[in-house]
Amino acid sequence: MAIHVLDEANHCLNCKNPQCQKGCPISTPIPKVIRLLLDGKLDEAGWMLFENNPLTTVCSLVCNHENQCEGHCVLGKKGAPVHFSVIENYISTTYSSKMVKGPAPSNGMRAAIIGSGPAGLTIAVILARKGYQVTIFEGKEKIGGILRYGIPEFRLPKSVLDDFEYRHLILKDIKVRPNTMIGADISIDDLMRDGYKAIFVGTGVWKPNALHIKGETLGHVHFGINYLNSPDSYHLGERVIVIGAGNAAMDVARTAIRHGVRYLQCFSRSEGVAASKHEFDYAVLEGVEFFYCKAPVEITDEGVIFADVIEHEDGSVEQIPDTEKLYPADSVIVSISQGPMNRLVKNTEGLQADKRGLLVTDEKGRTTKPGIFASGDVVNGARTVVEAVAHSKEVAEAMDEYMQSLPKDA
């Protein structure tokens, strides 16, 4: 492993104008990190990675590298790019075991984090570094949000999240209240009453989008985000149809195959897939069969009736008459993205959402209610992990600025 990493690092041209760094949504200083590694300064390289991206161990595994850092590497134009994902994973996981520093000196101010997905974890770590007493309120049993309950183990081992919790939360005295839904028993107003100077909302998008076609409520029909949450709870049978072709659909399909499904068919409305080439290639390799330009018309006990469609240049699709055909399946999984739950908005006066239920904020994450900030999927819709981290870094600075501007006796 180490030799392979060093081979990759030695390929780096150390460009003066690094396109790889420009291609990274969080502007990871890639050439500097690689140079530190080659100079034998692994700890310095690791520190640099974590300072820039608290979720570097996660991003090294789940980022869409082919379109970001590696996709922008100049070496990739005529051959193979430098595979920085391998380098980042080696450095970050090796350095992580050395991260034993305790909490920063307290500044006496409390901050609340609602949701422990990528956005919430990023905000929590940055505010803790600045001395804030941080409490995370998580609706599920364990931290991680979509990282734990929406990304399969084979792509992101749970041990990575467990290590993050120990290194970055427990050692830094960040409190976590699991199984706690804000907006139900506890309100945002309750948090403000108890002295939290700023509150961050990073509740993600957990409400599956539905097809709204006949048969969607039948017992053998499931939603992708629910399936990924606990795949062991499902008995799908031998033949499964997945409706959708994004990265989440690839996760669903590949997880189902690992749980005994023998025939997995994935249907896309368009002429291609929305998933990354990397995820698509692995799905094909593992036996997933793809169908294109197919729109679901009805779900029956026997399977799904699809019709052929024509995709227009503007992205719209037109159904072709008399092309309906039944594709048999024991189970059907609908995986066409998700939207936000709206409990928090309904129960919080002054907190505004748009027509899709996404929280309304400015570019710094400030919501329509003073002292309440938000970022991640609950603001932007389903996006990548690194995009959530990048935006949340800016929001954390805005939260710090806001809290420092408050009267000291507030």
Side-chain angles (χ1 to χ4, degrees), residues 11-30:
H11 287 152
C12 179
L13 301 177
N14 197 26
C15 301
K16 291 183 179 180
N17 186 19
Q19 297 302 307
C20 56
Q21 186 168 335
K22 290 183 179 180
C24 174
I26 202 167
S27 298
T28 301
I30 294 172

Side-chain angles (χ1 to χ4, degrees), residues 79-383:
V82 175
H83 293 96
F84 182 68
S85 55
V86 176
I87 299 171
E88 180 182 15
N89 183 255
Y90 174 74
I91 295 173
S92 62
T93 54
T94 303
Y95 178 71
S96 179
S97 63
K98 303 179 182 181
M99 300 178 73
V100 295
K101 188 177 179 180
S106 174
N107 65 13
M109 304 179 78
R110 296 183 187 276
I113 310 295
I114 304 174
S116 66
L121 293 177
T122 300
I123 299 283
V125 169
I126 293 175
L127 292 183
R129 287 174 182 172
K130 297 177 181 293
Y132 291 98
Q133 296 170 268
V134 178
T135 299
I136 296 174
F137 297 86
E138 170 53 49
K140 295 186 180 294
E141 181 182 2
K142 294 186 176 182
I143 64 103
I146 196 70
L147 301 175
R148 185 181 293 274
Y149 296 102
I151 299 180
E153 173 79 16
F154 62 84
R155 282 220 297 134
L156 179 60
K158 303 299 184 282
S159 59
V160 174
L161 300 174
D162 294 339
D163 183 72
F164 178 95
E165 182 175 20
Y166 175 69
R167 304 287 172 189
H168 296 277
L169 304 186
I170 295 174
L171 288 182
K172 301 299 188 287
D173 200 28
I174 295 175
K175 301 293 192 297
V176 178
R177 287 186 58 164
N179 301 312
T180 305
M181 295 293 293
I182 305 300
D185 297 332
I186 298 175
S187 69
I188 280 184
D189 290 335
D190 291 334
L191 297 178
M192 300 180 81
R193 175 203 65 201
D194 288 346
Y196 292 96
K197 302 301 183 185
I199 299 168
F200 173 77
V201 180
T203 47
V205 285
W206 291 96
K207 183 180 179 181
N209 290 340
L211 295 167
H212 302 294
I213 62 174
K214 185 179 180 181
E216 200 167 11
T217 68
L218 298 180
H220 64 308
V221 183
H222 313 287
F223 289 113
I225 189 65
N226 298 338
Y227 175 70
L228 290 174
N229 196 333
S230 55
D232 292 333
S233 304
Y234 293 77
H235 304 284
L236 300 177
E238 290 190 348
R239 184 178 292 274
V240 171
I241 283 176
V242 174
I243 301 175
N247 281 333
M250 300 304 105
D251 284 342
V252 167
R254 296 176 66 196
T255 299
I257 286 175
R258 283 163 172 76
H259 281 75
V261 172
R262 294 185 61 189
Y263 306 100
L264 198 300
Q265 296 177 324
C266 193
F267 286 76
S268 172
R269 282 178 178 268
S270 66
E271 296 176 350
V273 298
S276 69
K277 184 178 184 301
H278 177 85
E279 295 303 320
F280 170 74
D281 287 345
Y282 270 108
V284 171
L285 184 65
E286 293 170 12
V288 178
E289 184 180 8
F290 286 86
F291 293 84
Y292 304 100
C293 294
K294 303 285 185 181
V297 175
E298 180 182 345
I299 302 174
T300 72
D301 289 322
E302 290 73 37
V304 184
I305 298 174
F306 287 93
D308 294 342
V309 297
I310 298 173
E311 183 181 14
H312 298 296
E313 290 185 2
D314 62 358
S316 63
V317 295
E318 177 185 349
Q319 186 172 318
I320 302 174
D322 302 322
T323 58
E324 293 84 357
K325 177 183 176 182
L326 174 68
Y327 291 80
D330 298 317
S331 294
V332 179
I333 302 180
V334 179
S335 185
I336 53 171
S337 195
Q338 303 88 237
M341 301 291 190
N342 57 11
R343 179 190 295 110
L344 200 63
V345 174
K346 283 184 177 180
N347 295 324
T348 306
E349 186 176 350
L351 197 61
Q352 185 179 343
D354 65 17
K355 60 183 179 181
R356 292 194 294 161
L358 301 172
L359 288 179
V360 175
T361 70
D362 64 11
E363 70 280 359
K364 296 295 184 181
R366 293 179 284 251
T367 69
T368 52
K369 187 176 179 67
I372 313 300
F373 296 76
S375 73
D377 291 354
V378 75
V379 172
N380 300 311
R383 299 283 184 88

